[in-house]
Amino acid sequence: MSFSPGHLASHPLPPGIVGALGLSGYQLLVDVAGVGTGRLGSHAFLLVAPEPDPSLLDAGTQISLHQPRLKDETEASAFGQLAAQLGYLRLSGYRLALERAGLRSKVSLVNPATGAIAAVIPDKAPGRLFGGGASAPKLLAAVRGLPAAGPPPDLESPELLRQVLLALALRDESIGGAEAAEVADRALELVRRGGGMDPPAALEAAKQDRTS
């Protein structure tokens, strides 16, 4: 399984879905391992590209957890952090199984070691009655505690390694979205310099460099 950097930017939502949902002109805010966040005004949603499978027809990028009315910017940032965490888990070996639900899709996060479903992302964000259900902040809290399914992908590949580091940076609440790419690039330099530093340690070191 391999997603090149900028995969979602080059594989946007199909025009028919964008038009039907009134999302023309949406911004792609996060793009890691085929998982991203889209934003248009008060709308926020996840974008998920199916995992490469030569035996299947390419179903194209799909939309999940569509929320037409964001509560505030804190809730909006949770979408970006959730996308980054899902991208990181995908890079570590988890599978994202998509199931169409009309114009949108449900996403199951599957642990490859056991086949168990670790979390389910609904096609639409639920209403706010009775506590709001599976909102982006609640889903983020649930998947943030999941361990990686395996070691990071080939650390000799700068492209894959940068995606891992970018995912770690984007999900970190102490790093602003605009700074994430810069911190990830600095962490990439530290890993490639040698010394046996793993991605989380490199990211922490890059954060320290930023504040020193």
Side-chain angles (χ1 to χ4, degrees), residues 34-45:
V35 186
T37 301
R39 178 80 187 271
L40 178 67
S42 65
H43 291 261
F45 44 91

Side-chain angles (χ1 to χ4, degrees), residues 11-20 26 59-63 100:
H11 294 82
L13 282 173
I17 291 179
V18 171
Y26 73 87
T61 297
Q62 300 178 45
I63 182 174
R100 286 283 189 184

